[in-house]
Amino acid sequence: MPSYVIIGASRGLGYQYLKTLSQDPSNVVIGTARSVGPTAAKVAEDKLPNVHIIAADLTSAESLKTSAEEVSKITGGSVDHLIVNGAYLSPQSQFLAASEWAGKEDFFLEELNASMLANVAGVLFTINAYLPLIRKSTVKKVIVITSGVADFDAMAKTGISGGIPYSLSKAAVNGVVSKFAVESRNKGEGITYIALSPGFVATSAFEGPITPEIQTAVEGWMTGFKKLEPNFSGPIQTDESVEKQLEVIHSVTEKDSGAFISHHGNKKWL
Ligand SMILES: NC(=O)c1ccc[n+]([C@@H]2O[C@H](COP(=O)([O-])OP(=O)(O)OC[C@H]3O[C@@H](n4cnc5c(N)ncnc54)[C@H](OP(=O)(O)O)[C@@H]3O)[C@@H](O)[C@H]2O)c1
């Protein structure tokens, strides 16, 4: 029975992973949430079979270690697929260009720290908490959900100048994935680490008050993405993204370890 642990599964792509994976009764599916009650209630309401919800917060190494102990009791000590999905996403800072942070230095530091804590340190804490369980698997796959915005050469073509704290954190976490992959190769551990971008997906990430500034900036994104992919027609749905991500997850092998790739299995981000 293949096991999947989804870190950050309360909504958006993380919750979609629970929905998609639980359709196969042979899967053992475990999702983590900062607040277990509402996610467990949603799982019960949606009648998702074979799904366990346990507590974990990316900003707390202790909570991640405790969650790994809980998972170990469910799976019998191993984890086949660890998918680190949760992230700090800040709509407030997504649209500020570099020079627009002038006079907002404290806010920049807050956003940078929050992004780096959850999206970089939190990922490293998670992987270390779960490594003993991953090592006991025969599958040994660690997937970190990153973003195409960390490909600065591609993003330069879009003309999108915002999202600095978030994109820096995703570029940094790609580095974390690469370093874990190198260590695994050095030690002959046979673990496959992948930094996987899900595409541009309609999730709760940008819910909230849409100010005229945000509206203008979102329209700028659409125009920018068309410069990168002329056929781009808007965000895809979570089920399509997760289906494609799972195809990639199941097809990668140890030789791919350390790669930064998209839901298409390559560097096509949209
Ligand atoms: N949607 C896109 O177009 C897109 C594009 C590129 C990359 N991504 C990446 O895809 C992943 C999922 O994003 P999404 O679009 O599904 O966003 P979302 O709908 O906003 O969901 C974000 C998830 O992260 C969790 N989370 C936030 N802070 C956390 C923390 N400290 N510890 C544990 N979990 C935490 C949230 O849990 P709570 O409910 O507790 O807040 C929620 O489950 C992220 O890594 C994101 O960077 C998304």
Side-chain angles (χ1 to χ4, degrees):
M1 292 181 67
S3 55
Y4 293 82
V5 175
I6 318 299
I7 304 293
S10 65
R11 52 195 163 91
L13 285 162
Y15 191 74
Q16 182 64 52
Y17 263 112
L18 303 185
K19 283 169 92 172
T20 302
L21 288 168
S22 64
Q23 283 168 17
D24 181 345
S26 69
N27 289 336
V28 177
V29 186
I30 302 160
T32 75
R34 288 190 285 186
S35 181
V36 168
T39 307
K42 197 155 64 157
V43 165
E45 195 183 310
D46 291 343
K47 298 188 171 54
L48 304 186
N50 264 338
V51 173
H52 308 259
I53 302 296
I54 59 176
D57 186 329
L58 283 162
T59 66
S60 159
E62 278 314 307
S63 86
L64 292 158
K65 284 183 216 162
T66 306
S67 77
E69 286 164 15
E70 292 295 309
V71 167
S72 181
K73 287 180 205 154
I74 297 167
T75 61
S78 69
V79 164
D80 296 325
H81 308 85
L82 173 66
I83 301 174
V84 195
N85 168 76
Y88 176 75
L89 306 115
S90 170
Q92 289 80 19
S93 78
Q94 277 299 328
F95 304 111
L96 288 172
S99 69
E100 291 169 346
W101 289 98
K104 301 186 182 73
E105 290 77 14
D106 288 346
F107 182 42
F108 184 78
L109 290 175
E110 275 169 32
E111 289 294 271
L112 190 63
N113 286 336
S115 303
M116 288 293 178
L117 177 57
N119 305 356
V120 184
V123 173
L124 181 137
F125 298 160
T126 305
I127 296 173
N128 279 333
Y130 281 82
L131 256 183
L133 283 72
I134 297 285
R135 288 188 180 117
K136 289 195 185 122
S137 157
T138 52
V139 178
K140 295 190 175 72
K141 290 192 177 175
V142 176
I143 309 299
V144 172
I145 306 303
T146 182
S147 170
V149 300
D151 179 344
F152 293 103
D153 288 341
M155 287 308 124
K157 291 182 192 147
T158 67
I160 296 168
S161 57
I164 296 174
Y166 175 74
S167 43
L168 291 181
S169 74
K170 290 299 189 180
V173 84
N174 292 350
V176 171
V177 170
S178 171
K179 291 292 185 185
F180 269 112
V182 170
E183 184 185 348
S184 171
R185 273 204 191 99
N186 289 345
K187 292 180 174 168
E189 289 189 307
I191 303 171
T192 302
Y193 291 92
I194 299 290
L196 180 62
S197 169
F200 186 47
V201 194
T203 64
S204 51
F206 295 101
E207 280 175 3
I210 304 289
T211 61
E213 293 77 21
I214 292 180
Q215 183 63 35
T216 308
V218 168
E219 281 160 18
W221 275 33
M222 298 302 146
T223 311
F225 287 157
K226 275 201 168 127
K227 288 184 195 156
L228 195 60
E229 289 294 336
N231 294 331
F232 174 72
S233 59
I236 57 174
Q237 299 304 309
T238 54
D239 54 349
E240 181 184 347
S241 171
V242 166
E243 205 174 295
K244 290 202 159 90
Q245 289 182 60
L246 283 169
E247 277 172 30
V248 175
I249 291 169
H250 292 143
S251 67
V252 289
T253 65
E254 204 193 337
K255 72 174 172 26
D256 305 302
S257 193
F260 165 36
I261 51 178
S262 75
H263 58 309
H264 300 296
N266 54 28
K267 300 275 185 192
K268 182 172 149 46
W269 306 117
L270 294 165

